[in-house]
Amino acid sequence: MGVMITRSLWSGALAVVCVGVVSGAVVPSRRASGEAAVSALWASGGEAVSDGGAATATATARGGDARVSDNNGVCVGGVSTVVCHTDADCSSVVNCTWCRDDVPGPHPQLCGGPPSPTDCGTLPAAAITPADIQYECFGDSVSKGIFKVLGPMLANATLATVWEPFHPSSNEGGGCGNTMRGKDCTPLWLDGANRSTHDPIRRWDVISFNYGLHDLARDGEYLTVAEYAANLLNITTRLVNAPGRQPGTKPKIYWMPSTPVPDVPLSPPRNQSDVPLYNAAAAEVMQQFPQIEVIDLYAFVVKACGGNPHYTACPGFQLRGNVHFEAAGWQALADFVFHRLTAGGL
């Protein structure tokens, strides 16, 4: 066995993993070469060796049978070698709770376990004022832009009921990113760093969530509509089953469809024609959960930008050639969400 220094897929943190050497050759890393490495792993009867939580796995040659691991298939904070197609395939592998892939896109997946807390950015801490309404806002950079305005509005001490808001992974430019990252990090974003103890650091009264613009971007985060829908179903199931702040309750949950993008060349490339397709897939997922309410950011922005979803510019509201918004746009979106949340009743 040898030692290799790698970097965590999301956090960039250094990690040390053991790698097997056969006739002087190291079996390739899944993270480095994706599908080809998985094929090599199984061809050699390989075993995935985790770095203790980061989305990095290397194959150790075993010389014959494709055994799960030396620990009878137990996944301890990493990735096992049980090939899966849905989360149900991982139900018999201890501590593996979902199908995951280190590389977004249609690659073979392996049963995965909880990622390292350092992979998921800012995590919830204990509530500062537990009696306040505990609100968590999941989402990408658009939700972060809204939250920057919305958070202080909800935390205003002059309100009849004060809220204590939180946005997970707020230290990351893209926030929660795409649904692949969301699928892996949701337990940590819900419960905090001690989620493995099944004792959440913080429980929530209200949760809003949004994914889509990172999934449809034609870059390294791109996922097909089908992959997006499957991951979103996983995330949504976890959210609706989270315990509420009060004993015997569940959080009130709001889904926020992705906002439209200007119908011009963007960087990274995003097509406005894709946004309704991903939103429609999300709507089908939400129909399975009648308790979830929808705050339709897509329709709100289309109306604010003149009613044509294929607008090329929305001056005074959305930045030119950009998915993000001007100050007036952020304020309008925050006002819209604020009134929906505070009118929802708890």
Side-chain angles (χ1 to χ4, degrees):
M1 297 290 286
V3 175
M4 177 173 68
I5 305 297
T6 70
R7 288 190 180 272
S8 163
L9 178 62
W10 296 308
S11 67
L14 286 174
V16 180
V17 297
C18 295
V19 294
V21 179
V22 183
S23 302
V26 177
V27 181
S29 165
R30 273 190 73 242
R31 180 177 172 229
S33 55
E35 184 173 354
V38 174
S39 299
L41 185 156
W42 283 98
S44 65
E47 169 194 351
V49 179
S50 169
D51 65 357
T56 303
T58 54
T60 305
R62 298 193 48 82
D65 61 335
R67 290 175 54 192
V68 173
S69 74
D70 286 331
N71 202 20
N72 296 320
V74 173
C75 170
V76 182
V79 180
S80 81
T81 53
V82 174
V83 174
C84 57
H85 302 285
T86 70
D87 295 332
D89 294 336
C90 299
S91 60
S92 62
V93 185
V94 178
N95 290 336
C96 284
T97 51
W98 57 76
C99 253
R100 71 183 295 167
D101 187 351
D102 299 345
V103 183
H107 304 91
Q109 298 188 80
L110 299 178
C111 289
S116 166
T118 59
D119 292 330
C120 296
T122 307
L123 302 179
I128 297 172
T129 309
D132 290 348
I133 295 175
Q134 300 299 311
Y135 167 54
E136 185 165 35
C137 175
F138 287 75
D140 54 27
S141 57
V142 169
S143 81
K144 280 179 57 181
I146 296 171
F147 184 81
K148 186 175 180 179
V149 181
L150 175 66
M153 293 171 67
L154 291 169
N156 188 334
T158 64
L159 291 177
T161 306
V162 180
W163 297 47
E164 187 175 331
F166 173 76
H167 195 297
S169 199
S170 57
N171 63 315
E172 302 284 349
C176 298
N178 71 355
T179 55
M180 184 67 76
R181 184 166 188 259
K183 179 179 168 184
D184 283 357
C185 289
T186 290
L188 286 163
W189 289 335
L190 276 174
D191 297 346
N194 69 339
R195 55 96 39 213
S196 61
T197 68
H198 304 289
D199 180 22
I201 287 176
R202 195 160 165 189
R203 295 176 185 260
W204 308 99
D205 295 293
V206 180
I207 295 171
S208 65
F209 70 121
N210 159 261
Y211 290 93
L213 290 184
H214 282 246
D215 299 80
L216 62 83
R218 300 304 173 117
D219 60 7
E221 290 190 275
Y222 174 74
L223 295 171
T224 67
V225 173
E227 291 163 339
Y228 166 74
N231 290 341
L232 189 61
L233 176 60
N234 176 294
I235 294 166
T236 307
T237 301
R238 290 174 181 274
L239 296 182
V240 300
N241 286 303
R245 179 171 61 95
Q246 301 295 339
T249 66
K250 299 289 186 183
K252 189 174 184 65
I253 299 180
Y254 295 87
W255 164 249
M256 299 194 290
S258 296
T259 50
V261 303
D263 203 0
V264 297
L266 300 171
S267 179
R270 290 181 172 96
N271 299 320
Q272 166 55 20
S273 58
D274 285 337
V275 181
L277 299 179
Y278 283 74
N279 280 345
E284 290 188 9
V285 171
M286 299 310 144
Q287 287 172 4
Q288 301 178 49
F289 305 93
Q291 69 270 45
I292 295 178
E293 297 186 25
V294 177
I295 301 177
D296 196 344
L297 300 183
Y298 180 85
F300 180 81
V301 173
V302 168
K303 182 178 180 180
C305 293
N308 178 4
H310 291 279
Y311 64 85
T312 57
C314 189
F317 194 87
Q318 191 171 34
L319 295 172
R320 180 173 293 277
N322 200 301
V323 302
H324 300 116
F325 295 87
E326 298 188 21
W330 291 126
Q331 185 65 60
L333 285 162
D335 288 342
F336 178 58
V337 175
F338 175 86
H339 289 300
R340 283 297 309 277
L341 292 179
T342 55
L346 293 174

